[in-house]
Amino acid sequence: SSLNRFSFSSTLSSSHLSLSLYLYRTPTSLPCTGLVVSGGDRSLYTTVDEALGYLDARTEFWRQQKPMYARKRERELKKYRPAPTRPRSKGVPRPTGGAGVDHTKYVLKALEDIDSAMSGGEAESGLEKAQQLMKTVEEMSTTDLPNKREFIASIHSCMGNAYLEMGEAQLALEQHLSDLQITEALDHADATTSRALDNIGRSYCVLGDFQMATDYFQRKLPLLKTPEETTWLYHELGRCRMELQDYPAARDLGEKSLAAAREAQDQMWQLNASVLVAQAESKLGQLAGALQSFERSLELARLLEDTESQSVIKRALEEINSRIVDEIKPDGDTPGN
């Protein structure tokens, strides 16, 4: 439906937020590497973590490369767009007449304005527009707006995304939970329910509750429709398992993300997934596997002509190679694998 275009599209500008925020927490809250290291070795894993954090924080899939289902919904939206003579303002203008489809056009246009504000990095403006729209929609009858509940759910989603961009994760969570409560009561609402689960998971990530994030992300798994959705969700789940220091699960989820990215023929997400696998393997002490995964990541970065990522991956490879050399020395540490 056209409604879901806004539920997902308004997350485009913030879908990488959970990654960047929990990858760049304070040093005292950084996750353990999973390896016992001495003072000299610690710099190696700090370097690798910094490199991997940098790479993952550069994930902006939703902005740079819209998935196929988002492009499809964007095309569907065009037939609902109002006439260009409809008045525009900084706020959300109230509908001036008509019934049914006119009100639907009005709300869709208002949602599009909110979406534009969010995509332009104007979260406060997007939130204000969404709050105004919520008041207007709540006053409408279901005769004027047959899909009133669906629209209210979408507005909750928009408000939640705005709060998340503004760093108000708890307020964001409350809005996304309201979205979920409404959509779960609707018939044939898998897509909007999937949206809510996604956003609740992201909110919990920002709040640092990675187990709750995992629980909601897992509820989304049966609702996956495309390899683009699948690669992103497995990557998110893998990141959560990394934070929970469940490195074998993180590695396996990274492999699933990689497989989906290959199915989607998306080299950028292949790079992201490959880096996740490499990070998990390095924390497990599986240095040979980590080396191979980093080499694969480097090749993908070259294909993408991503010089910054290439530089960071090369640095990580040097450090991993150094560790492997230390492992095979007679007085080296306990071998990895």
Side-chain angles (χ1 to χ4, degrees):
S1 71
S2 298
L3 281 178
N4 195 50
R5 186 260 174 183
F6 289 101
S7 58
F8 244 127
S9 176
S10 41
T11 71
L12 303 191
S13 61
S14 60
S15 54
H16 70 287
L17 182 64
S18 60
L19 294 179
S20 58
L21 286 181
Y22 67 75
L23 281 168
Y24 287 106
R25 292 182 294 165
T26 59
T28 55
S29 61
L30 284 172
C32 173
T33 62
L35 295 167
V36 178
V37 295
S38 65
D41 293 327
R42 190 175 302 279
S43 62
L44 160 64
Y45 293 101
T46 298
T47 298
V48 172
D49 276 341
E50 287 175 351
L52 293 167
Y54 167 80
L55 289 170
D56 286 319
R58 296 185 71 249
T59 298
E60 290 184 335
F61 172 58
W62 303 110
R63 270 184 178 161
Q64 298 175 13
Q65 189 170 313
K66 286 187 180 180
M68 288 183 286
Y69 58 85
R71 294 198 297 269
K72 178 182 177 183
R73 291 191 180 99
E74 193 169 54
R75 291 194 299 270
E76 290 174 351
L77 175 69
K78 291 180 181 178
K79 60 186 177 184
Y80 294 101
R81 285 178 178 161
T85 55
R86 185 170 297 277
R88 298 173 65 96
S89 75
K90 293 182 179 179
V92 179
R94 297 177 66 85
T96 56
V101 68
D102 288 338
H103 286 79
T104 297
K105 282 183 178 180
Y106 155 74
V107 176
L108 284 168
K109 178 61 174 66
L111 283 169
E112 189 175 43
D113 288 343
I114 295 168
D115 189 56
S116 295
M118 293 293 296
S119 297
E122 301 175 2
E124 292 185 6
S125 174
L127 176 61
E128 182 180 352
K129 290 175 184 290
Q131 290 171 333
Q132 291 174 359
L133 181 60
M134 181 68 85
K135 292 178 182 178
T136 302
V137 170
E138 286 177 338
E139 293 174 359
M140 291 181 181
S141 68
T142 52
T143 301
D144 287 334
L145 194 66
N147 293 329
K148 179 177 178 178
R149 287 191 300 167
E150 289 92 328
F151 278 120
I152 288 176
S154 286
I155 298 168
H156 277 300
S157 181
C158 291
M159 291 167 63
N161 290 327
Y163 277 127
L164 200 57
E165 285 280 5
M166 295 163 61
E168 299 286 351
Q170 186 59 49
L171 292 175
L173 177 62
E174 292 168 8
Q175 294 296 325
H176 292 311
L177 286 169
S178 294
D179 177 21
L180 181 63
Q181 184 179 17
I182 295 171
T183 56
E184 285 188 323
L186 299 172
D187 295 328
H188 311 295
D190 282 357
T192 47
T193 298
S194 178
R195 164 197 74 202
L197 293 171
D198 171 18
N199 289 328
I200 291 169
R202 293 191 304 114
S203 298
Y204 274 121
C205 282
V206 178
L207 289 168
D209 191 338
F210 299 103
Q211 186 55 59
M212 286 295 289
T214 297
D215 294 343
Y216 278 94
F217 282 144
Q218 287 178 332
R219 287 174 60 182
K220 181 181 165 76
L221 285 171
L223 304 176
L224 293 174
K225 302 295 184 184
T226 70
E228 290 87 357
E229 289 177 282
T230 302
T231 186
W232 180 83
L233 183 59
Y234 277 129
H235 189 272
E236 286 283 77
L237 280 166
R239 277 278 141 220
C240 287
R241 300 324 296 178
M242 288 293 295
E243 292 288 344
L244 294 169
Q245 301 178 28
D246 184 356
Y247 304 127
R251 177 194 57 206
D252 294 345
L253 288 162
E255 292 286 3
K256 290 181 178 180
S257 177
L258 181 59
R262 285 170 172 162
E263 182 182 353
Q265 298 182 335
D266 190 307
Q267 291 179 334
M268 187 178 72
W269 269 98
Q270 289 177 43
L271 172 59
N272 292 329
S274 185
V275 167
L276 172 59
V277 172
Q279 184 180 24
E281 289 171 333
S282 68
K283 289 180 183 293
L284 288 166
Q286 297 174 350
L287 301 181
L291 183 65
Q292 184 177 17
S293 296
F294 274 129
E295 289 173 341
R296 177 178 60 206
S297 301
L298 180 59
E299 179 59 29
L300 287 164
R302 285 171 175 159
L303 290 171
L304 291 167
E305 298 182 349
D306 187 339
T307 55
E308 289 180 298
S309 292
Q310 289 177 50
S311 177
V312 176
I313 293 171
K314 286 177 181 178
R315 183 179 170 191
L317 278 168
E318 290 173 0
E319 299 289 0
I320 291 292
N321 274 313
S322 177
R323 174 69 186 199
I324 290 174
V325 169
D326 289 342
E327 291 277 340
I328 62 178
K329 289 179 180 179
D331 58 344
D333 299 328
T334 303
N337 72 324

